[in-house]
Amino acid sequence: MQTPQHLDAKNGRIVNLDDLKTIAEQEALLKSQLKHRIFVCMGTACQSCQSADVLDSLTREVSTRGGQAECLVTPGGCQGNCAEAPLVVVEPGGQLYRGVAPGDAASVIDSLKTGPVKRLLCDTTAPFFTEQTRLVTEYRGLVNPERIEDYIAVGGYIGLLTAVTELTPDEVIQQVTRSGLRGRGGAGYPTGLKWSTVAKAVSEQKYVICNADEGDPGAFMNRSVLEDYPFRVLEGMAIAGYALGATQGYVYVRAEYPLAVKRIEKAIAGAQRHGLLGNNIANTQFSFHVEVRLGAGAFVCGEETALISSIEGGRGLPCPRPPYPAESGLWGHPTLINNVETYTNIAPIIRNGGDWFAKIGTEKSKGTKTFALSGRVKNTGLVEVPLGTTLRKIIFDIGGGVPEGHKFKAVQTGGPAGGCIPAEHLDAPIDYESLQSLGSFMGSGGMIVMDDTSCMVDVAKFFMDFCATESCGKCIPCRVGTVHMRDILNKITTGEASLEDLAQLEELCDMVKYTSLCGLGQGAPNPVLSTLRYFKDEYMAHIIDHLCPAGVCAGKGQDIRRPACVL
Amino acid sequence: MRVVTLSINGQHLSGRNDESVLQVARAHNIDIPTLCQLDGLSTWGGCRLCLVHVEGNNKLVPACVTNVFEGMVVQTESERLARYRRMIIEMLFSEGNHICSVCVSNGNCELQDAAQSQGIDHISLPYLYPERTVDASHDRFTFDPNRCVLCTRCVRVCDEVEGAHTWDVAGRGIKAHLITDLNQPWGESSSCTSCGKCVQVCPTGALFEKGKGAGEMVKKNEFLVYLEEMRQKRS
């Protein structure tokens, strides 16, 4: 594409809102010259179903027919219904095709003239699509994640340039505070308060860190957001840098997310090329650099002090707080750590104002939240709803309920520190406080649906095993306590446990919860505590009757004890 | 630095606001059990034995890393704390292979002392009986990981005081264990200066001098405080 003339004079640097407008107009012009745009999702789920081949064959099909001038085939982002990958969207019209094979290319291109391919068509009037509120994923995957122009065309970087050229750092923080945004990593700490604490800290050097060490079983929201909207995460971080007086940022992302790593690295290079990262952003005194740091697969590195230690090159071990990172973080300097999704919310808050954001959600929990819906639910995938939406709406309306005529039993939220919420609480609104009062936790947004084929003791055992494996080993309650709790749960599922064991399990839960050093240990007992609270009968069936009601630990009606050795 | 007044177990005391609850308590002969903490080393906060109640804070806080403040109200003893402390010590006994009767540190062991002070004569948790190999490759010292409680005093003294950083921790969770250099036998370590500081700060019989029989290994770690003082005076 042609680069606007005056941008050339600035070596491609974008320094003000007019430059953004020029690019957006250029993109609009390009778009108007095209009759059709075909987006092929290039997220991890779709790529694993050969969407790259689909992209290739569609591109080839268009060029053999000589239609490149009026039909653009481009990589796109996640549509949400990952279970039906690979997904293709045709614009205008917004037809969503699911399960597209490379061999379907001809029919898809034919359809541009003859009408939608019925056998591939997804019903976008279904609640899965209509009941969602897209804010974090607002472009519905209809931007090429590797092209900064695509992002600018949908309003990207207006937030950063407005902040840097028109607002004082204090005014930026005020907008974030007014928005009522709370940390999306799970604990829900008010973002504005965190920012103002770091801003007030006196230091020549401050840091901004993006926590992309998503490790909860069943969670993939951050991965998807990083893959699809890397520029928006960087924009949010740069705005934070401006507001706090930080010049250096780090994206700490797990190495198990190769595509997200590739996209964020590409985006950093792209943003630098256009002067939206680097020295003197918008020709002001403000400079902001971002580097990527890879996590080596330790779950505990999502804990902020362990994450800092890992960036510093040490073992990923948590440290007692206070001092909090806001006061003394990376290399002893004041440090802001926010989750991917928190940063993603920043640009629209600055663009539209904090009050606009505060209108969405509930009184104490503002905005929307993405959830990774998985487990025994019809529509698995990535969904986004306003906070305050009920669990029932997410699981039964958007998620389509439990498949194959099974009965809903519980939904697990909040990862290994979360809990299982039973059917009687399905009408509870999802916000930070109500989930906590139900014995669970917002967490980063994993949501695992379970039906009558799931044994709740087995579920608790799975999470405890996860915590025992992922414990860093620094503090005794977590290092040893999780192993003993796992062993007792093991005994229960094999019918070898007594009521005394159950009492000891409860005692260990209490002790580990209140004496562990960091969130991993403090949260580890939660899956046991919540299943004990709502499904104690299942524990009792294992211990007293030696039966597993769900038929997981042994077949239904069968004794769960191991047969005695006859030799 | 400011002088503050606070109350510990109902006793009105004074301290400096750069002192920890543990320091102020000990200065006034109030005993709070510890295992990983050692004067002269950085704080670690891993053993959780020194957890105390602080009024207005619904979480238990570790006394070793919590500084005192004006008007602070601390309670170092309660039925709940006693229960937790007992469980922590039981966990340590269940985690390793601690057999006091044959141990070089029998009678001079901080883990044994802590157990006695909490009135522990048996444990209710099952023993895990891990398989751990003794490293006797060093000329003068032996490392018996069966008795290690992972307090990391050896790691810290080697790094912070000796400056060699021979010791470190490898592995995660229950599999976490001490290593020398890049997991070589101690005797082959190129960084170890054989100063023996790690041996003297070890609270149990995990690190000991060769040639010592059961109950013969007495640790002397007072040197640390002197070293710290001397170095401060010089700088």
Side-chain angles (χ1 to χ4, degrees):
Chain A
M1 85 172 249
Q2 272 185 318
T3 314
Q5 290 257 304
H6 75 287
L7 282 182
D8 266 348
K10 297 173 199 162
N11 301 323
R13 276 173 62 86
I14 297 166
V15 293
N16 54 41
L17 295 169
D18 286 341
D19 292 348
L20 291 177
K21 217 170 137 193
T22 311
I23 293 183
E25 280 165 5
Q26 189 94 13
E27 285 292 305
L29 183 68
L30 273 176
K31 200 170 140 185
S32 69
Q33 288 161 355
L34 292 165
K35 269 193 183 155
H36 303 281
R37 292 183 304 151
I38 302 177
F39 293 88
V40 182
C41 173
M42 282 290 141
T44 293
C46 283
Q47 281 209 19
S48 66
C49 295
Q50 279 73 49
S51 69
D53 295 345
V54 176
L55 180 74
D56 273 355
S57 62
L58 280 168
T59 313
R60 239 178 298 124
E61 190 66 33
V62 170
S63 59
T64 38
R65 298 188 192 193
Q68 302 100 306
E70 53 184 39
C71 178
L72 174 77
V73 182
T74 171
C78 185
Q79 296 299 317
N81 48 334
C82 306
E84 301 181 294
L87 298 163
V88 173
V89 181
V90 178
E91 285 282 324
Q95 291 94 354
L96 174 62
Y97 293 125
R98 62 182 142 86
V100 182
D104 294 325
S107 343
V108 172
I109 304 301
D110 284 344
S111 79
L112 301 177
K113 293 210 171 80
T114 57
V117 196
K118 291 228 167 59
R119 70 187 163 86
L120 297 173
L121 203 60
C122 223
D123 178 16
T124 46
T125 59
F128 182 85
F129 298 97
T130 56
E131 298 292 313
Q132 293 196 43
T133 304
R134 303 269 206 153
L135 194 68
V136 171
T137 57
E138 68 180 327
Y139 321 113
R140 283 182 176 272
L142 303 186
V143 286
N144 180 346
E146 299 191 4
R147 255 186 107 231
I148 197 167
E149 293 86 357
D150 269 36
Y151 178 56
I152 291 171
V154 292
Y157 280 107
I158 292 178
L160 175 64
L161 292 186
T162 307
V164 175
T165 59
E166 290 174 12
L167 303 175
T168 64
D170 273 349
E171 284 167 341
V172 172
I173 295 174
Q174 266 171 32
Q175 289 303 323
V176 175
T177 309
R178 286 175 79 112
S179 74
L181 175 65
R182 294 170 66 175
R184 295 295 192 244
Y189 192 80
T191 307
L193 184 57
K194 207 181 216 179
W195 284 32
S196 67
T197 317
V198 183
K200 282 199 184 97
V202 183
S203 175
E204 292 218 336
Q205 180 72 57
K206 292 179 189 175
Y207 295 103
V208 167
I209 296 176
C210 173
N211 185 347
D213 192 56
E214 182 176 54
D216 290 357
F220 50 85
M221 307 75 50
N222 291 172
R223 189 203 72 210
S224 194
V225 168
L226 268 183
E227 283 173 4
D228 290 352
Y229 316 111
F231 290 108
R232 207 165 124 178
V233 177
L234 293 177
E235 187 185 357
M237 288 179 73
I239 294 171
Y242 173 72
L244 312 179
T247 55
Q248 178 68 48
Y250 291 97
V251 179
Y252 187 88
V253 54
R254 56 201 309 235
E256 294 95 324
Y257 284 176
L259 185 62
V261 174
K262 185 184 131 202
R263 293 259 166 89
I264 197 83
E265 279 177 341
K266 259 196 158 158
I268 290 172
Q272 276 171 342
R273 215 167 30 246
H274 289 89
L276 295 165
L277 271 185
N279 289 330
N280 305 102
I281 292 170
N283 290 344
T284 64
Q285 296 284 308
F286 172 58
S287 300
F288 191 70
H289 304 265
V290 174
E291 284 176 42
V292 172
R293 286 288 179 274
L294 297 188
F299 176 68
V300 75
C301 286
E303 197 279 342
E304 56 183 17
T305 57
L307 188 153
I308 286 174
S309 169
S310 177
I311 293 184
E312 289 173 349
R315 253 169 86 79
L317 295 183
C319 301
R321 297 175 303 178
Y324 287 90
E327 187 192 337
S328 170
L330 192 58
W331 292 298
H333 296 289
T335 303
L336 173 79
I337 303 191
N338 276 146
N339 172 266
V340 173
E341 198 177 331
T342 314
Y343 286 121
T344 314
N345 276 308
I346 298 298
I349 287 174
I350 300 302
R351 214 163 58 212
N352 306 322
D355 293 335
W356 160 81
F357 189 85
K359 283 190 199 125
I360 311 162
T362 68
E363 197 199 332
K364 283 184 172 173
S365 303
K366 303 293 186 193
T368 60
K369 178 83 196 76
T370 57
F371 289 101
L373 200 54
S374 67
R376 301 286 295 166
V377 62
K378 213 167 134 236
N379 306 324
T380 55
L382 185 76
V383 303
E384 184 178 358
V385 291
L387 286 164
T389 306
T390 62
L391 285 164
R392 187 183 299 282
K393 189 164 175 183
I394 294 185
I395 296 162
F396 287 90
D397 295 351
I398 297 174
V402 178
E404 295 156 26
H406 283 285
K407 199 169 156 257
F408 171 87
K409 187 188 261 182
V411 56
Q412 208 277 349
T413 71
C420 299
I421 301 168
E424 64 254 38
H425 293 298
L426 272 174
D427 290 312
I430 300 174
D431 59 52
Y432 293 95
E433 280 75 23
S434 86
L435 285 182
Q436 211 144 30
S437 73
L438 293 174
S440 190
F441 182 58
M442 175 76 81
S444 58
M447 202 173 261
I448 305 170
V449 180
M450 287 171 281
D451 65 9
D452 48 19
T453 61
S454 290
C455 164
M456 301 315 281
V457 188
D458 188 60
V459 168
K461 190 176 82 174
F462 168 82
F463 283 106
M464 193 55 76
D465 190 49
F466 182 89
C467 289
T469 313
E470 292 298 337
S471 164
C472 76
K474 179 170 178 175
C475 78
I476 300 164
C478 175
R479 179 176 83 224
V480 190
T482 51
V483 171
H484 282 300
M485 289 192 282
R486 179 190 64 192
D487 289 352
I488 296 177
L489 288 164
N490 245 331
K491 272 172 88 178
I492 296 176
T493 54
T494 51
E496 296 157 36
S498 63
L499 287 173
E500 285 77 41
D501 288 316
L502 185 65
Q504 187 168 48
L505 178 65
E506 290 184 284
E507 205 182 351
L508 281 165
C509 282
D510 171 71
M511 183 264 185
V512 173
K513 188 177 168 125
Y514 293 107
T515 59
S516 290
L517 196 162
C518 81
L520 198 162
Q522 290 161 9
N526 279 354
V528 179
L529 289 170
S530 76
T531 46
L532 269 173
R533 176 168 159 187
Y534 298 117
F535 301 97
K536 194 154 188 177
D537 52 327
E538 291 198 24
Y539 280 82
M540 287 308 177
H542 284 77
I543 295 169
I544 296 171
D545 308 323
H546 309 297
L547 292 173
C548 176
V552 172
C553 305
K556 270 192 184 168
Q558 279 175 16
D559 198 309
I560 54 176
R561 285 171 290 188
R562 291 195 195 101
C565 183
V566 289
L567 293 177
Chain B
M1 194 270 291
R2 271 174 48 214
V3 175
V4 297
T5 53
L6 66 150
S7 119
I8 303 183
N9 300 344
Q11 217 177 317
H12 293 281
L13 311 166
S14 63
R16 294 194 320 261
N17 67 348
D18 59 353
E19 284 183 303
S20 68
V21 173
L22 185 68
Q23 284 170 317
V24 175
R26 289 207 172 144
H28 294 89
N29 294 321
I30 298 169
D31 184 47
I32 300 174
T34 56
L35 206 54
C36 62
Q37 187 276 341
L38 189 64
D39 287 343
L41 296 180
S42 64
T43 51
W44 181 241
C47 79
R48 319 305 284 169
L49 277 176
C50 70
L51 288 178
V52 295
H53 301 279
V54 172
E55 209 173 272
N57 189 340
N58 54 10
K59 285 186 172 171
L60 300 172
V61 300
C64 64
V65 292
T66 307
N67 283 4
V68 295
F69 56 83
E70 179 60 41
M72 189 182 206
V73 179
V74 182
Q75 193 55 247
T76 70
E77 300 294 332
S78 72
E79 182 273 324
R80 183 170 166 222
L81 285 177
R83 195 169 71 237
Y84 290 165
R85 285 172 187 158
R86 195 191 152 95
M87 284 174 85
I88 289 170
I89 294 165
E90 285 194 24
M91 281 180 181
L92 286 176
F93 277 108
S94 74
E95 177 197 32
N97 298 306
H98 298 277
I99 302 151
C100 297
S101 56
V102 298
C103 178
V104 287
S105 287
N106 191 10
N108 302 297
C109 170
E110 291 181 46
L111 176 64
Q112 201 178 35
D113 291 347
Q116 275 166 2
S117 74
Q118 301 301 316
I120 297 174
D121 50 16
H122 71 283
I123 70 167
S124 56
L125 293 165
Y127 289 102
L128 298 175
Y129 297 119
E131 260 191 57
R132 296 179 180 176
T133 319
V134 175
D135 183 350
S137 60
H138 194 279
D139 290 344
R140 288 167 49 209
F141 313 118
T142 304
F143 169 48
D144 184 351
N146 293 295
R147 302 163 182 163
C148 177
V149 292
L150 278 179
C151 65
T152 70
R153 282 186 189 177
C154 54
V155 178
R156 285 175 284 156
V157 78
C158 190
D159 176 50
E160 296 164 11
V161 184
E162 180 61 11
H165 203 128
T166 301
W167 292 104
D168 213 325
V169 182
R172 286 209 292 255
I174 198 76
K175 290 181 181 147
H177 60 280
L178 287 174
I179 55 164
T180 41
D181 283 3
L182 295 170
N183 203 12
Q184 290 138 301
W186 192 3
E188 290 170 24
S189 161
S190 53
S191 66
C192 176
T193 61
S194 300
C195 71
K197 289 188 183 72
C198 53
V199 174
Q200 299 304 328
V201 299
C202 173
T204 69
L207 289 168
F208 59 94
E209 292 162 359
K210 281 190 170 168
K212 291 280 200 276
E216 288 177 359
M217 183 69 218
V218 182
K219 307 282 175 84
K220 298 190 186 76
N221 57 35
E222 304 82 7
F223 72 92
L224 261 183
V225 183
Y226 293 122
L227 270 183
E228 193 189 21
E229 217 170 280
M230 306 255 282
R231 284 180 183 180
Q232 269 171 5
K233 276 180 188 161
R234 271 198 187 179
S235 58

